[in-house]
Amino acid sequence: MNDSVAVDAKRILLRYGAPITVLDDVSEAHRIEFAREVAKTALPERQQRLRALLIEHGYIVVEED
C-alpha cells in the first residue's frame, strides 16, 4: 500500500477523534479501512462511527457497570 494513503488515513482518524494511544495499536490495513468507512459516513455521524469501528474490532474496550 502507498505510504501516503496510510498517512492520510491516520490523519482522518485523528481528525475524527481516534486517541493517539489507540491508533498506535491499529494495523495499517484497519486504519485505511476505517478511514474509508468514516469518509462515506455523514459528517455529523463520523466521530460516532469511528468509535463504533474501534470498539467493534477490539481496539477500544468499553467497560459496563
Side-chain angles (χ1 to χ4, degrees), residues 7-53:
V7 170
D8 288 344
K10 187 173 184 177
R11 285 184 186 141
I12 289 168
L13 299 179
L14 288 170
R15 180 178 300 138
Y16 291 107
I20 292 173
T21 55
V22 171
L23 199 53
D24 288 341
D25 296 333
V26 177
S27 69
E28 187 174 289
H30 272 154
R31 287 181 190 176
I32 294 167
E33 177 186 336
F34 296 168
R36 287 179 176 160
E37 180 68 27
V38 167
K40 294 183 214 173
T41 304
L43 187 59
E45 300 167 6
R46 288 181 180 178
Q47 189 172 13
Q48 290 177 325
R49 181 63 183 137
L50 175 56
R51 182 167 170 78
L53 287 168

